[in-house]
Amino acid sequence: MKISRRVFLATGTAMAAVTAGQLGKVRRSVAQGPTILVQNPKDVLNLYSARHYDTDQSLYDSFTQKTGIKVNLVEAKADALLERIKSEGANSPADVFITVDAGRLWRATQDDIFLPINSPTLTAAVPANLRDAEGRWYGLSKRARVIMYNKDKVNPSELSSYEELTGSQWKGRIAVRSSSNIYNQSLVGSLISAYGDQKTEEWVRGFVANFARPPEGNDRAQIRAAAAGVSDLAIANTYYLPRFAKSNDPAEREVFEKVGVFFPNQRDRGTHVNISGGGVLKTAPNQEGAVKFLEHLVSPEAQEIFAKGNSEYPVVANVPLDPIVESFGQFKEDQLSASVFGAKNAEALKVMDRGGWK
Ligand code: FE
């Protein structure tokens, strides 16, 4: 029964349902010809991933080495992959869906695409606040959304919390991307959890009043703005800064030299931490392989690839960090469940709109 379903990955109705433009970048590790025909679904793991990081292939290669199961990667934006999974329905070849941000994982649970998994390995490896209570998705890596500062212009002793970024001393000094960005929606979701809608809206208004410029660009653009003196502070995810240090371009390495990392809210609830994560699809042809794959991704070996390859924080304890990330120092993490701030994304966007965050 399942054999015929595999053909859809490269040809036929599944591909036809979504245009090339919607799919964006598509890569497959074993697809040489126009059609993939796999005799035994247990030999192959079809992964739909919205992670947009170059080093992930080594995560998949290490799984193949360990198990002999080949990984077919379909990489695209999260919303396009979700739409594709829904339109493929019962015929979807996808076994696992991986994405970044708890907000998107929550959205995937609303679309009811995940199979609840009860794996002692996953439950033991992933802290309870970084996985779905029903086992539908599991966090695989962490990232802190921190305040980065221009070392020439800001003494870190002036910084303390997200809340205090509304102070008049920061007027015209903050760079952050737009409210449409899901990392920002999750951060604001965590503030809503702490303070409720109304107080968070007031915070947004004060925060926006201190912007150095209208929001533009991605997290890296905010870091560049702080380094160039366009702003003095930038809000960004931790893994982006080490990329500047590792660049072959001296100008990029100079950006790294100019910018420091500050972990906010160390005296109270801790710095906002988000995840990338994934789950097994209800319609997965290779459910057994899919569970094995997630279990592999929380193994010490794979966790080290997340940490060293993409400079993320591992979800598993005692995995060595990237040396640059380690140099940022230890910090207290906000323990708020990713499913809680993930669920608050839509509410957060409304609060940001009302507060004038473009
Ligand atoms: Fe990112």
Side-chain angles (χ1 to χ4, degrees):
M1 283 320 148
K2 287 177 175 173
I3 293 168
S4 62
R5 302 209 288 193
R6 319 305 291 187
V7 183
F8 288 122
L9 184 62
T11 60
T13 53
M15 282 297 280
V18 179
T19 67
Q22 284 172 291
L23 277 174
K25 190 167 58 167
V26 174
R27 284 199 317 220
R28 289 182 199 89
S29 58
V30 298
Q32 300 301 322
T35 303
I36 298 169
L37 180 57
V38 176
Q39 299 305 324
N40 180 355
K42 290 198 161 40
D43 292 342
V44 160
L45 190 283
N46 286 321
L47 170 64
Y48 284 17
S49 175
R51 277 178 56 93
H52 50 95
Y53 313 114
D54 294 336
T55 51
D56 282 5
Q57 189 58 47
S58 49
L59 288 169
Y60 316 140
D61 292 343
S62 60
F63 176 69
T64 304
Q65 274 171 12
K66 196 192 266 181
T67 61
I69 300 172
K70 294 199 166 59
V71 178
N72 285 332
L73 174 63
V74 176
E75 198 177 74
K77 294 209 157 149
D79 291 342
L81 289 175
L82 272 179
E83 282 312 306
R84 181 169 170 175
I85 289 163
K86 283 191 280 180
S87 72
E88 288 171 345
N91 287 325
S92 178
D95 295 304
V96 171
F97 174 60
I98 287 180
T99 188
V100 297
D101 202 288
R104 292 205 183 89
L105 291 164
W106 184 81
R107 226 177 274 166
T109 63
Q110 295 307 105
D111 288 336
D112 201 19
I113 64 167
F114 287 135
L115 181 75
I117 296 299
N118 184 3
S119 153
T121 303
L122 287 167
T123 310
V126 183
N129 65 315
L130 305 178
R131 54 181 158 84
D132 176 53
E134 293 170 43
R136 292 170 296 184
W137 53 261
Y138 291 85
L140 302 170
S141 66
K142 293 188 292 196
R143 55 278 301 280
R145 196 145 184 81
V146 297
I147 304 171
M148 297 189 191
Y149 60 92
N150 182 311
K151 289 178 191 169
D152 295 333
K153 297 192 177 165
V154 177
N155 185 320
S157 67
E158 300 169 71
L159 292 162
S160 63
S161 63
Y162 302 109
E163 288 85 327
E164 294 209 16
L165 294 178
T166 59
S168 56
Q169 71 274 29
W170 299 114
K171 190 147 196 72
R173 300 174 73 187
I174 299 170
V176 65
R177 65 203 288 185
S178 77
S179 58
S180 64
N181 172 247
I182 200 157
Y183 301 149
N184 284 338
Q185 291 169 18
S186 284
L187 170 62
V188 172
S190 76
L191 289 164
I192 291 172
S193 292
Y195 298 110
D197 277 11
Q198 203 163 346
K199 229 182 145 194
T200 305
E201 185 183 326
E202 281 165 32
W203 176 83
V204 168
R205 202 163 283 119
F207 183 58
V208 169
N210 287 340
F211 284 2
R213 59 178 186 184
E216 61 173 65
N218 56 19
D219 274 16
R220 271 165 292 184
Q222 315 313 316
I223 298 171
R224 283 195 191 95
V230 173
S231 69
D232 295 342
L233 304 180
I235 306 296
N237 285 353
T238 35
Y239 54 85
Y240 287 113
L241 190 57
R243 293 185 188 183
F244 287 97
K246 293 172 186 174
S247 170
N248 293 323
D249 178 354
E252 295 279 276
R253 292 201 300 275
E254 201 174 322
V255 167
F256 175 77
E257 293 304 326
K258 283 191 177 307
V259 173
V261 170
F262 183 82
F263 292 101
N265 297 75
Q266 294 304 286
R267 282 183 224 145
D268 45 73
R269 67 184 183 281
T271 300
H272 172 63
V273 167
N274 207 324
I275 53 171
S276 79
V280 175
L281 295 165
K282 276 186 162 173
T283 50
N286 186 4
Q287 278 177 8
E288 195 188 321
V291 174
K292 268 190 210 160
F293 182 67
L294 289 184
E295 289 175 344
H296 168 70
L297 293 181
V298 300
S299 67
E301 177 197 6
Q303 286 288 298
E304 199 164 337
I305 297 172
F306 280 113
K308 298 215 165 137
N310 194 43
S311 311
E312 290 174 88
Y313 291 97
V315 289
V316 172
N318 301 320
V319 171
L321 296 178
D322 174 296
I324 295 171
V325 174
E326 189 151 32
S327 77
F328 298 161
Q330 293 190 328
F331 68 102
K332 179 180 173 185
E333 299 174 19
D334 188 345
Q335 296 297 318
L336 180 67
S337 171
S339 36
V340 172
F341 65 75
K344 289 193 183 296
N345 267 239
E347 191 181 343
L349 182 57
K350 281 185 202 151
V351 166
M352 293 157 100
D353 277 346
R354 290 202 300 268
W357 189 337
K358 297 273 191 260

